[in-house]
Amino acid sequence: MIESSVVHDLLQESMQTALETMFFAAPDTVSMDPRRPAGALITARLAFRGTPDGWSWLVVSDALARTLAANFLGCEDDALLLASSVIDVMMELANIMCGAVLSRMESGVNFDIGPPESHPVRADEAGPDFAAGSACSCRFEFPEGALIGFLAFQEAV
Amino acid sequence: MAFDVLIVDDSPAMRAFIERVIDISGLDVGKRLEASNGQEALDLLHRHWIDIILTDVNMPVMNGEQFVARLAEDEVLRSIPVLVVSTDGSEHRVHRMMSLGARAYVKKPFSPEQLRKTMEQLLGVEVEQ
């Protein structure tokens, strides 16, 4: 059984490293606040099989998703980005986040990570309950909005 | 001498990121070819000579393990250095890919500098920064 505090630390470290090294972005604050960010969102969900099975959500404010995608792709004007490109980049970030946590959590175990699925959530739409059943969450606040990573396992940690 | 590069990844965003890293690396890169899975990559490799391959592991149609195994079976293609770039950094996966014939493994997340240095080692060159 894995301590949830260990998973949280791995989630925070993995997300922060990804944001700094591949998205060239440093958050203003980091917390465990799982509340939905205000406004429209881009979400990405993926499931993994291993010991144990589980799933991961990435929830990002729409404006922040555009900024991060522009940084990742080297696009100087995020207004030029296609919505599909922003979604592709957020799915890749979800994949990186989940893979990095699982690899560090159980380096001797083979996990299979499924393909990410993404869909936008309008500002006036309730959207899925991202935090339901999550073992842990990690929230990064930026001037453009918030990014939250959730990780859950089918057996309690 | 310019090096021709093949990037194999099912994520268009990741292919674009790697291409951008290569662009700013200072490496003398010629052709940049892209494939979204191992089978597409093999088709390209039968038409173009490539100096280095960067490949993901988890891909549809033909995954990275199957792709690297197919390269190792080919008397010509087995000489091309393969660098694995993957989110799956488990010891099991790294060991498996290296035993199949990959020459290096970079785990995501990675810095542009880390990817550049690994490519330099595989190509036997050094870029002055």
Side-chain angles (χ1 to χ4, degrees):
Chain A
M1 186 171 290
I2 304 149
E3 295 285 337
S4 62
S5 62
V6 173
V7 179
H8 175 267
D9 289 350
L10 288 172
L11 183 61
Q12 179 175 333
E13 185 185 328
S14 299
M15 292 180 72
Q16 196 142 8
T17 302
L19 288 168
E20 288 173 2
T21 59
M22 299 180 78
F23 293 82
F24 315 107
D28 293 337
T29 61
V30 182
S31 72
M32 296 170 73
D33 183 357
R35 286 176 300 170
R36 174 195 159 135
L41 307 172
I42 300 287
T43 71
R45 184 185 191 280
L46 50 82
F48 55 86
R49 296 175 64 86
T51 314
D53 294 351
W55 51 263
S56 165
W57 273 107
L58 181 74
V59 179
V60 193
S61 304
D62 185 71
L64 176 59
R66 295 194 73 82
T67 299
L68 293 175
N71 288 357
F72 187 81
L73 297 171
C75 176
E76 291 186 2
D77 183 358
D78 65 26
L80 299 175
L81 281 175
L82 297 173
S84 59
S85 298
V86 177
I87 288 172
D88 280 346
V89 174
M90 290 305 105
M91 289 197 296
E92 187 57 35
L93 176 55
N95 190 36
I96 292 168
M97 172 187 84
C98 187
V101 173
L102 296 179
S103 299
R104 294 180 194 191
M105 199 173 79
E106 290 284 352
S107 63
V109 173
N110 191 18
F111 280 96
D112 283 320
I113 300 174
E117 297 171 0
S118 176
H119 68 90
V121 177
R122 295 190 313 271
D124 60 352
E125 189 181 353
D129 183 3
F130 309 109
S134 291
C136 61
S137 60
C138 194
R139 182 188 193 100
F140 297 83
E141 291 283 352
F142 292 81
E144 299 93 332
L147 175 153
I148 315 175
F150 296 95
L151 198 68
F153 300 95
Q154 287 188 352
E155 64 185 53
V157 293
Chain B
M1 184 189 100
F3 299 103
D4 294 342
V5 179
L6 172 59
I7 302 165
V8 191
D9 197 305
D10 58 329
S11 163
M14 198 62 219
R15 295 199 303 268
F17 178 79
I18 290 174
E19 194 160 338
R20 179 176 164 230
V21 170
I22 291 171
D23 282 343
I24 62 175
S25 68
L27 286 165
D28 186 7
V29 174
K31 278 185 297 194
R32 301 162 179 81
L33 300 182
E34 295 183 19
S36 62
N37 61 63
Q39 185 58 58
E40 272 185 23
L42 284 174
D43 293 344
L44 281 170
L45 286 164
H46 287 120
R47 299 198 304 272
H48 303 274
W49 177 253
I50 290 293
D51 296 294
I52 185 168
I53 299 168
L54 286 74
T55 184
D56 190 13
V57 175
N58 292 316
M59 296 180 287
V61 184
M62 181 187 287
N63 66 31
E65 277 195 18
Q66 296 165 324
F67 173 51
V68 173
R70 289 283 296 275
L71 293 176
E73 290 169 0
D74 188 296
E75 286 188 10
V76 176
L77 299 181
R78 73 170 56 143
S79 65
I80 304 172
V82 176
L83 164 56
V84 178
V85 182
S86 176
T87 54
D88 187 343
S90 62
E91 284 176 19
H92 168 88
R93 187 72 74 187
V94 175
H95 182 262
R96 175 84 180 141
M97 294 301 291
M98 299 299 279
S99 66
L100 285 169
R103 305 264 184 92
Y105 202 111
V106 171
K107 301 172 190 176
K108 301 177 197 171
F110 59 84
S111 66
E113 182 71 0
Q114 191 182 349
L115 189 67
R116 178 184 65 80
K117 282 186 176 172
T118 308
M119 288 183 68
E120 280 182 9
Q121 286 166 2
L122 289 183
L123 292 166
V125 297
E126 191 169 347
V127 175
E128 280 190 26
Q129 293 295 300

